[in-house]
Amino acid sequence: MERPALSVLINNYNYARFVGRAIDSVLSQDARNVEIIVVDDGSTDQSRSVLQAYDSRVKVIFQENAGQAAAMNTAVGSSTGEILCFLDADDWWVPGKLSATAAAFRANPQASLVYHRLQPTLVDGTPTSKPIPRTLCSGALSSLLARSAGWWPFPMTSAVAVRRSAWDAAGSIPLDFRISADAWLVGIYPFLGDVIAMPDPLGFYRIHNNNWYRAAEDAATLRRRMTHWQQTVEATNLFLSTHELPARLHLRDHYPYRVASAKLQGADALTRFKLAIEGLFFAGEPNLLRRTRDSLRSARGLSRLGLDVGLPEVAK
């Protein structure tokens, strides 16, 4: 039997109401020689019955809950394709996504990662806001990441595809990435080869309270993000050191981390001014107009009274 050219790897946890649409969007693709693997990470809803209804069209693996990284590692370990395409169970793709991805890899033999934009939607699938990420980055990005503590206008999981040879070089995703395991893919793979961005929104990103997105930032969300960013920098530096790559990341260069810290602690006028200037030179946003807008908006959004003020120590 011919080896699949493309492996579609879906991770699912308690998304019985969404995962069918994700799978159907893959089955409707025009690309040939595709395998579909779904790893259910210990769901307690009706996911099992939904997944078993697909019979032999989809390879389904059930495992005890171990987090997103473990689910994605299991999926890759059970796959055989040369191109690994990731899809979260609450998202879905447009027709032609897989063929466009395969063509991008063929045209760019040095590429380790190919991605595209996603169209954000509400829970019911209604499109909302503009496709993300707004800024697209292609080519050799390692120097950019080294100057921005690994931050760039990165794509979400369902927009990411990687070459198997790059996966083999990077190794499995560390299990510490129980959520936002895509941070490993978009943070490590630019150090292993070129990144190729496709401008069209070839998929849909469903916004709801069970994922990383929050309409309003509170102290708990900011602290969770800061911890995640810090752990990602540490994991990246460990990878770079282990693989004898010269770059190192420094958290002081991570502008979103510094802004989040100021939101928690509070910022006087001088701090707001310094952060606004710092944001103008932040390497993580290559687009000058967006960088200017974001830095000014971030500075204006800071308050002298931080979100942590008045919270009991146990909540901090």
Side-chain angles (χ1 to χ4, degrees), residues 224-244:
R224 193 159 54 245
R225 287 179 178 171
M226 290 174 67
T227 299
H228 170 71
W229 290 331
Q230 181 178 357
Q231 291 174 343
T232 300
V233 166
E234 293 171 354
T236 304
N237 281 336
L238 178 59
F239 171 86
L240 294 172
S241 175
T242 300
H243 288 75
E244 299 182 346

Side-chain angles (χ1 to χ4, degrees), residues 23 36-40 51-52 54-55 58-62:
I23 295 172
I36 307 172
I37 300 173
V38 181
V39 175
D40 183 87
L51 295 173
Q52 288 177 333
Y54 284 91
D55 301 320
V58 176
K59 180 178 181 179
V60 181
I61 301 171
F62 296 98

Side-chain angles (χ1 to χ4, degrees), residues 209-262:
N209 285 332
N210 288 332
N211 56 25
W212 193 245
Y213 176 87
R214 291 292 185 275
E217 292 180 324
D218 55 21
T221 299
L222 286 173
R223 283 194 296 275
R224 193 159 54 245
R225 287 179 178 171
M226 290 174 67
T227 299
H228 170 71
W229 290 331
Q230 181 178 357
Q231 291 174 343
T232 300
V233 166
E234 293 171 354
T236 304
N237 281 336
L238 178 59
F239 171 86
L240 294 172
S241 175
T242 300
H243 288 75
E244 299 182 346
L245 296 171
R248 294 294 183 271
L249 309 186
H250 303 281
L251 201 56
R252 65 176 179 268
D253 298 325
H254 198 297
Y255 184 67
Y257 182 94
R258 292 174 55 78
V259 171
S261 178

Side-chain angles (χ1 to χ4, degrees), residues 118-122 125-132 203-207:
L118 292 173
Q119 171 61 57
T121 77
L122 302 177
T126 303
T128 179
S129 72
K130 296 180 180 179
I132 54 175
F204 296 87
Y205 173 68
R206 197 188 305 264
I207 297 174

Side-chain angles (χ1 to χ4, degrees), residues 104-128:
F105 274 108
R106 286 196 301 269
N108 299 276
Q110 301 305 313
S112 62
L113 185 151
V114 167
Y115 75 96
H116 53 78
R117 288 185 168 117
L118 292 173
Q119 171 61 57
T121 77
L122 302 177
V123 176
D124 63 2
T126 303
T128 179

Side-chain angles (χ1 to χ4, degrees), residues 16 18 27 41 56 71 78-79 84 88 92 94 102 119 130 132 148 150 165 203 227 252 262 276 284 295:
F18 298 141
L27 292 173
D41 191 44
S56 61
S78 302
S79 69
L84 308 174
D88 283 342
W92 71 100
V94 304
Q119 171 61 57
K130 296 180 180 179
I132 54 175
S148 66
S165 58
T227 299
R252 65 176 179 268
S295 63

